[in-house]
Amino acid sequence: MEDNNIYFLGGEPKKPDNDGRKHRIVRRTVVVIVVLAAIYVLFFMFGTPGSADEKTGGDETISFSVSPGPFDDERERSPLSLWVESSAIADSAAVSVLDTMVNDIPVLVFYPQNMVPYLSVGYDVTLDTVRNLMFMQAADVRADNKKILGAFVLKGEPLSWGLSKKGYCSIINGEVTVGVADDSPLFEEATDKGGYFFRQYALVDSFRMVENQLKNKSIRRAICDIDGSVVVVETQSRESMHDFAEALADMGICNAVNLVGSSSIGWVKGEGKSYVRGHHNQHRFKNVSFIVWSK
């Protein structure tokens, strides 16, 4: 052995462990990604306003919670009821509009004020969108004889009889009443006092949703009683009758009956905007009926 020679004992010299170093870097990177992903999920589940059941409509926010069923006299007023109260406009004909969501269903709520409500048969009301600030199709038309389906009273004159549906809407002395009953005395009262009356599907009865057999999905509309005030609620997406009725109950609606939905004719002028429904130039049924709010 010479002095300028170097010998390694115990085998070959150990090479740098580059593979192990790479594995450690990969593991640390994965851990960091998992932690960041967990923080992201937790932040958006619990840290952002408007999550859970808080829904926004325009510049306003309304929170809806699932209805526990019938309320007692000291129940907490629903957010929709409070919106109706805050939207009241004195001494002027107007329609307040709320664009919001409930149960992930986008809805429009129309609240007519200081106007004359009445029923009309025929398409004449669709021609006057100056005095008539809101109208929607009311009763259904029979498929066989094209007559009005169910009991119907126009200015005190019965045009149709029969209990096809348990929901009803009456207008007597300018007061709109929405309810659910097999036999309502308001039919006779409307006849005696020159009022109006029609039948439709019941959706909500005393704060409880009413089940219906219709399974198809379409744009839904309903006339509703919310703590004594009348509003019309319309979905902005196609919904089943079940989901619509459930949403109305969760909004705190006391009673609600269906209005003709889908592509039926309607018109609302509220807060400087016009909401046109259906094809006004397609007049198909002689006995088409409308519920109207006029100046």
Side-chain angles (χ1 to χ4, degrees):
M1 179 183 295
E2 298 181 1
D3 294 339
N4 59 353
N5 291 335
I6 298 177
Y7 288 84
F8 293 93
L9 301 178
E12 296 181 357
K14 188 175 182 181
K15 297 179 181 180
D17 189 6
N18 291 330
D19 291 340
R21 182 180 181 186
K22 291 179 180 178
H23 291 161
R24 287 192 297 272
I25 293 174
V26 170
R27 286 196 297 270
R28 290 171 182 172
T29 303
V30 170
V31 171
V32 171
I33 292 174
V34 170
V35 171
L36 290 176
I39 294 173
Y40 179 86
V41 171
L42 292 174
F43 176 77
F44 279 92
M45 286 181 62
F46 303 104
T48 58
S51 59
D53 59 354
E54 185 178 84
K55 311 298 180 183
T56 303
D59 296 329
E60 301 183 56
T61 298
I62 287 186
S63 298
F64 293 103
S65 58
V66 177
S67 170
F71 299 97
D72 56 30
D73 291 337
E74 297 183 3
R75 69 181 177 88
E76 183 179 354
R77 296 185 61 189
S78 70
L80 181 60
S81 176
L82 296 175
W83 172 80
V84 168
E85 182 180 90
S86 66
S87 300
I89 302 173
D91 301 325
S92 62
V95 180
S96 296
V97 183
L98 175 65
D99 185 351
T100 188
M101 293 187 69
V102 58
N103 298 352
D104 295 325
I105 298 175
V107 299
L108 288 171
V109 183
F110 302 112
Y111 174 37
Q113 303 159 69
N114 301 308
M115 284 183 281
V116 178
Y118 64 95
L119 296 181
S120 178
V121 175
Y123 293 93
D124 288 346
V125 295
T126 66
L127 303 177
D128 188 353
T129 55
V130 175
R131 288 184 303 174
N132 301 328
L133 297 188
M134 186 163 100
F135 53 80
M136 298 285 181
Q137 283 185 228
D140 287 322
V141 175
R142 294 180 54 163
D144 53 358
N145 58 17
K146 302 299 186 289
K147 292 184 178 181
I148 295 173
L149 180 61
F152 192 95
V153 179
L154 181 68
K155 293 183 180 179
E157 179 183 357
L159 301 185
S160 178
W161 292 261
L163 178 61
S164 60
K165 300 160 186 176
K166 293 185 178 182
Y168 67 83
C169 175
S170 70
I171 306 174
I172 301 173
N173 296 327
E175 181 179 352
V176 180
T177 303
V178 179
V180 181
D182 289 334
D183 185 16
S184 173
L186 294 178
F187 179 85
E188 287 77 14
E189 187 175 349
T191 302
D192 294 339
K193 297 182 179 180
Y196 306 87
F197 184 97
F198 72 94
R199 287 273 185 185
Q200 258 291 3
Y201 288 105
L203 298 176
V204 179
D205 182 10
S206 299
F207 301 102
R208 286 187 177 182
M209 66 170 290
V210 178
E211 285 286 2
N212 288 281
Q213 299 301 317
L214 297 180
K215 302 299 182 183
N216 65 306
K217 290 188 175 183
S218 67
I219 298 297
R220 301 291 179 183
R221 299 184 186 98
I223 183 168
C224 311
D225 173 9
I226 175 74
D227 287 347
S229 296
V230 173
V231 299
V232 171
V233 180
E234 176 187 88
T235 66
Q236 299 186 68
S237 57
R238 296 169 61 86
E239 304 295 338
S240 67
M241 192 78 85
H242 171 91
D243 290 345
F244 184 41
E246 184 177 53
L248 294 174
D250 289 347
M251 292 171 73
I253 297 294
C254 176
N255 296 305
V257 300
N258 192 55
L259 293 175
V260 184
S262 188
S263 59
S264 62
I265 293 177
W267 160 268
V268 180
K269 186 174 183 180
E271 300 182 352
K273 182 178 179 180
S274 296
Y275 301 82
V276 182
R277 302 294 183 257
H279 302 286
H280 289 230
N281 60 342
Q282 294 183 4
H283 297 171
R284 296 182 296 168
F285 301 115
K286 176 182 178 181
N287 291 304
V288 64
S289 63
F290 293 90
I291 182 167
V292 187
W293 282 267
S294 182
K295 291 182 181 179

